Amino acid sequence: MDVSKLPIYIWGSIRFFLIIVNNLYCIPTHCLWLITLLPLKWFLPQVYLTLEGFGFQWLLSMVSAWSYTAGYNVIEMGDDIHKIVNDKALVLINHQSTSDVPLIMAALDGRTRNIMWIMDRMFMKTNFGVVSWFHKDFFISSGKARRERSLTELTAHLSEVYMPLNRTWILLFPEGGFLRKRREISRKFALQNSLPILHHTTIPRVGAVQNVVATIGPQRFRNMTNGNLSPDWIDNSLKWIIDLTIAYPNGNPLDILTIFMASAPPCSTIFHYRCYPIAEIPTDNELLKQWVYDRYIEKETLLATYYETGKFPDHRRPGEFCRPRPVLHDGFRTVILHALYITSTLFHWNLLTLLVSSIF
């Protein structure tokens, strides 16, 4: 064992312990409050949704603190998303490792509370799974046998949950798995279908994208008599598809354990955004499939350029590179939220202790 690294191991172990404790004093009390407030869901649904949304947003802040306190920061490039965070949008994200989700949470910290994740069903078994269940995120089943059923369930979820709850961004990893696990499958698929072989991304699965566009895209709101867009389009339909490309330093992604223990040197991860108005997106399934493929081929080129030059080309200014926009965090707000969750946990603990003692 390298003695010089002993302080790193000690500090990493302390961080790991503190993050476990952080989960214990945040998630149970969050769930208990939601259970307590359930009557509001029927009598004052908007109040319940607002309170649940704030709780969800605060938990995202807890997760985002894990990364930036370790020196793992997010830098945004490309289109500015500030003005469209409250619009309905489908976000297509390349998937590299277990650190993608906490870094996305860090990027969205304090910006929106009405997002909806589409994630693998196995995520339900994680610490954040129960929070996502209360938030009405969608859990999709992987594998060919269950894929069609999952897409049918997604259609129902979009119509019965996403739209009524007025959610905004839908976050989706179309590749269906981590880069290292999907690369060989993607290579075989590319060879069979005359597609380019990708190295920094993989060929995406397009079923969920087609499903979302068909269910909440503009064609859903067309007047059946004259084909014109109905007035509901302005507020209720999908407005954007956002292509989010995540780039790690030198192409070496972090992972969740590294974030927990701060075991790698501080670094910045790039989030490159390209926002497409929904009017520019094809609605025909075959054309939409090719459009999604083209985006991931484009991601491949962007990532190759970044890993070679350290810069992203700027599509708005040909020949120039994107300017970095660091994602900033409010440390004081984070401290206040920690104090709030600790106080809430103590309240619930004392209440449950009193209840148990009164019964027995």
Side-chain angles (χ1 to χ4, degrees), residues 46 49 81-92 112 114-116 157-171 212-213 215-218 220-221 232-243 275-279 281:
Q46 195 54 50
L49 291 174
I81 60 170
H82 178 73
K83 293 182 180 180
I84 65 171
V85 291
N86 292 316
D87 290 347
K88 283 181 166 52
L90 173 62
V91 187
L92 309 181
T112 179
N114 285 325
I115 61 175
M116 186 188 90
H157 192 86
L158 291 168
S159 299
E160 299 169 9
V161 178
Y162 172 84
M163 296 298 289
L165 297 185
N166 198 28
R167 296 289 187 239
T168 53
W169 283 22
I170 301 172
L171 303 173
V212 171
V213 172
T215 305
I216 60 173
R220 177 181 183 271
F221 293 85
D232 289 340
W233 150 256
I234 298 173
D235 297 318
N236 294 327
S237 182
L238 194 68
K239 291 185 179 180
W240 304 90
I241 291 187
I242 302 172
D243 182 14
C275 302
Y276 296 89
I278 195 64
I281 310 302

Side-chain angles (χ1 to χ4, degrees), residues 25 29 32-33 36 339-355:
Y25 68 70
T29 194
L32 285 172
W33 278 119
T36 304
L340 179 66
Y341 277 113
I342 291 171
T343 303
S344 180
T345 295
L346 291 174
F347 167 76
H348 278 128
W349 177 261
N350 288 328
L351 188 63
L352 290 173
T353 302
L354 182 63
L355 182 62

